[in-house]
Amino acid sequence: MSQNLLLKPIQVGSLELPNRIIMAPLTRQRALQPGNVPGPMNAEYYAQRANAGLIISEATQVCPEGQGYAWTPGIHSDEQVEGWTGVTAKVHDAGGRIFMQLWHVGRISHPLLQPNGADPVAPSAIQAQADCFVVDPDGTPHKERTAMPRALETSEIAGVIESYRSGTANAMEAGFDGVEVHAANGYLLDQFLCSNSNQRTDNYGGSLENRARLVLEVLDAVIAEAGNSGRVGLRLSPMGTFNDVDDANPLETFSYLLEQLKSRKLAYVHVNKPDWAGGTYEGFDELYQQLRKVYPGTIIHCGGHTPESAARTLADGDADLIAFGRGYIANPDLVARIASGAEWNKLDASTLYGGGAKGYTDYPTLG
Ligand code: PHB
């Protein structure tokens, strides 16, 4: 049965995975306050899902400026490193493997989330027609329109790269098996890649080569810090329009980027169709097929999969691994359910973001 391909071990970078089912990165906004520090409840949540071939952590800000939503965890303070150490230890004790997703939101933020109430930073001073999530000074949490960002000075780019490098060092210290650079979904690195959000006139904007420069320089710094490109992945969302990015020529942009990645021998490239954010994604599958031809390395495919579509994608050779997001939120034992063909628990959308154990660590397992 072709579905068994999902359950077949595979070597990914430096890791031997027992199956090809990936837990997708998922924002859940449940870090301890103050300080955006992961705690024992987060460790329990991830350990419950250690059956995945690989867990990719929720997006985690590499610096305070990288935050765009209340209560998301960071990897820039000693307390956060200590908190994450508790998470990785519990995942490893449960037999799992976990990468950290390294995040900088760029313009998807607001002064209420920024150090000293500053404006968020971006490639260009173009406001996104998108929302972030803030807490008012009186403690009231709510959605908020993202603020007008400030364009990063050329001299500040080195500092941005440094925050990804130090995030990698901290993630490794905290016991992660590797890191995934988040260059998808309209956050900072995607804002540099996409033509509508990057109107810079220095070496980091304008031409295709220039728009791709920052993500490649970040990757090189992260690989050098990790000491092994097999411990580094990259997430992309070609054609994604979430957070108001829109690239004029995604085939050209992402083909160029993937060409540049060949020599870097990453653990994987993670291609994501953010269908949960709405949009039709007409033409995505055709684009994806063209990109797959450009890149000979390991690819994780993510976006609304059922066990059947996942098995078919692997059997057709269209990807090497499949990531499940919503499936893993509601089904801690997702691998066992896929193996046995059992029904999946229903997702409770009201408990996705923020709150406590309800809708987080209390989804039932089989039997
Ligand atoms: C979100 O918090 O809404 C979010 C975070 C990271 C993503 C996508 C969405 O890649």
Side-chain angles (χ1 to χ4, degrees):
M1 209 180 123
S2 64
Q3 189 162 304
N4 286 344
L5 211 39
L6 281 167
L7 304 170
K8 220 174 128 188
I10 183 172
Q11 177 89 23
V12 172
S14 340
L15 295 180
E16 184 69 40
L17 311 188
N19 60 61
R20 299 168 189 215
I21 298 167
I22 306 294
M23 178 177 169
L26 296 158
T27 290
R28 305 302 308 273
Q29 294 178 276
R30 281 166 166 89
L32 296 172
Q33 302 304 316
N36 301 315
V37 178
M41 183 177 74
N42 309 113
E44 185 185 350
Y45 161 78
Y46 283 111
Q48 287 173 343
R49 290 158 177 78
N51 51 79
L54 178 67
I55 295 171
I56 303 165
S57 83
E58 66 208 274
T60 301
Q61 57 263 8
V62 292
C63 55
E65 295 79 7
Q67 184 174 9
Y69 309 84
W71 320 312
T72 57
I75 187 68
H76 51 81
S77 75
D78 291 345
E79 294 72 25
Q80 291 162 349
V81 171
E82 198 184 320
W84 280 118
T85 301
V87 173
T88 62
K90 199 150 179 174
V91 167
H92 290 148
D93 283 350
R97 296 139 299 278
I98 182 167
F99 272 32
M100 165 167 278
Q101 195 191 51
L102 301 174
W103 197 27
H104 190 312
V105 297
R107 66 179 181 166
I108 306 301
S109 190
H110 188 277
L112 283 168
L113 293 158
Q114 292 290 313
N116 307 313
D119 295 329
V121 297
S124 302
I126 303 168
Q127 193 173 5
Q129 301 305 306
D131 295 328
C132 54
F133 193 90
V134 302
V135 180
D136 282 338
D138 72 1
T140 313
H142 60 93
K143 240 194 219 181
E144 182 67 46
R145 208 63 170 160
T146 60
M148 174 59 100
R150 168 178 81 76
L152 282 160
E153 303 286 343
T154 306
S155 61
E156 292 177 292
I157 299 277
V160 171
I161 297 169
E162 166 58 21
S163 65
Y164 284 91
R165 187 210 57 77
S166 60
T168 304
N170 289 342
M172 292 316 210
E173 188 186 334
F176 282 90
D177 298 295
V179 294
E180 175 177 286
V181 172
H182 190 350
N185 298 342
Y187 296 109
L188 183 70
L189 297 176
D190 204 18
Q191 291 159 28
F192 271 84
L193 278 173
C194 290
S195 54
N196 79 327
S197 45
N198 184 347
Q199 295 178 5
R200 299 178 72 87
T201 54
D202 64 1
N203 283 340
Y204 293 91
S207 69
L208 181 56
E209 292 79 2
N210 283 353
R211 283 184 282 117
R213 191 177 311 281
L214 181 59
V215 64
L216 292 170
E217 289 185 355
V218 163
L219 270 176
D220 288 339
V222 165
I223 291 168
E225 182 60 47
N228 177 352
S229 62
R231 295 196 177 275
V232 178
L234 175 69
R235 197 171 209 228
L236 301 171
S237 50
M239 265 184 93
T241 54
F242 180 58
N243 283 327
D244 199 21
V245 287
D246 191 9
D247 189 57
N249 192 340
L251 178 61
E252 184 184 71
T253 299
F254 289 91
S255 295
Y256 171 78
L257 181 57
L258 289 168
E259 281 288 346
Q260 305 309 305
L261 295 179
K262 284 184 188 173
S263 61
R264 287 173 168 87
K265 307 281 179 226
L266 298 175
Y268 62 80
V269 172
H270 185 174
V271 180
N272 149 63
K273 172 161 82 171
D275 63 333
W276 40 265
T280 59
Y281 290 95
E282 215 178 301
F284 177 89
D285 293 342
E286 291 72 20
L287 172 67
Y288 174 78
Q289 291 298 344
Q290 287 173 285
L291 296 176
R292 170 75 169 165
K293 287 198 194 92
V294 173
Y295 188 71
T298 301
I299 294 191
I300 304 177
H301 190 281
C302 184
H305 276 288
T306 62
E308 293 72 29
S309 71
R312 202 177 330 114
T313 300
L314 295 189
D316 291 349
D318 290 340
D320 304 286
L321 303 130
I322 305 291
F324 294 88
R326 286 156 286 188
Y328 252 119
I329 290 175
N331 300 276
D333 55 349
L334 192 67
V335 170
R337 288 179 194 249
I338 289 175
S340 68
E343 256 193 63
W344 290 13
N345 296 323
K346 274 220 171 49
L347 181 88
D348 173 7
S350 73
T351 51
L352 281 176
Y353 302 115
K358 187 170 168 350
Y360 191 56
T361 48
D362 66 349
Y363 279 104
T365 53
L366 294 168

